[in-house]
Amino acid sequence: MCSPSKKCARRTDTTHGVEFHRGLACHEGWKVGGWPSWHLTDLVPVNCSCGATARLFLTMDSGGDPGANVGRFGELCVFTCPAHASHPHRLNIQ
């Protein structure tokens, strides 16, 4: 997860006058891709209805934004099918 204390790639978008790092790339508590955290349970395989092993697409953590609480202040992981984008998403809350 990106936070002010971690070093994330910075790039300034001169066309729109916004700093890419702060505005878009590193929203505290949110992460695109990578690996899910299984801190509350053991590893839980997440499979698509077609049988393919789903990939982590997005993680949203309740700790980053006071207005975004997931479950009981946990993490919401959104998984997608690597075989076909039209397959339903899978969700996991830790």
Side-chain angles (χ1 to χ4, degrees):
M1 305 272 177
C2 291
S3 70
S5 64
K6 292 188 179 179
K7 292 182 181 179
C8 297
R10 292 177 185 247
R11 179 174 69 89
T12 302
D13 187 343
T14 55
T15 307
H16 300 290
V18 297
E19 189 175 309
F20 180 78
H21 165 74
R22 290 189 186 166
L24 302 172
C26 290
H27 187 72
E28 188 175 349
W30 293 52
K31 178 179 79 168
V32 175
W35 295 182
S37 168
W38 300 107
H39 61 276
L40 293 179
T41 65
D42 288 334
L43 174 65
V44 177
V46 180
N47 296 320
C48 180
S49 55
C50 72
T53 301
R55 265 192 237 154
L56 179 63
F57 172 68
L58 178 67
T59 302
M60 295 173 278
D61 182 32
S62 296
D65 185 351
N69 294 325
V70 178
R72 293 185 176 168
F73 298 96
E75 273 183 359
L76 171 66
C77 294
V78 179
F79 293 86
T80 59
C81 178
H84 204 280
S86 68
H87 293 179
H89 301 307
R90 300 289 186 194
L91 304 176
N92 179 279
I93 295 179
Q94 288 283 314

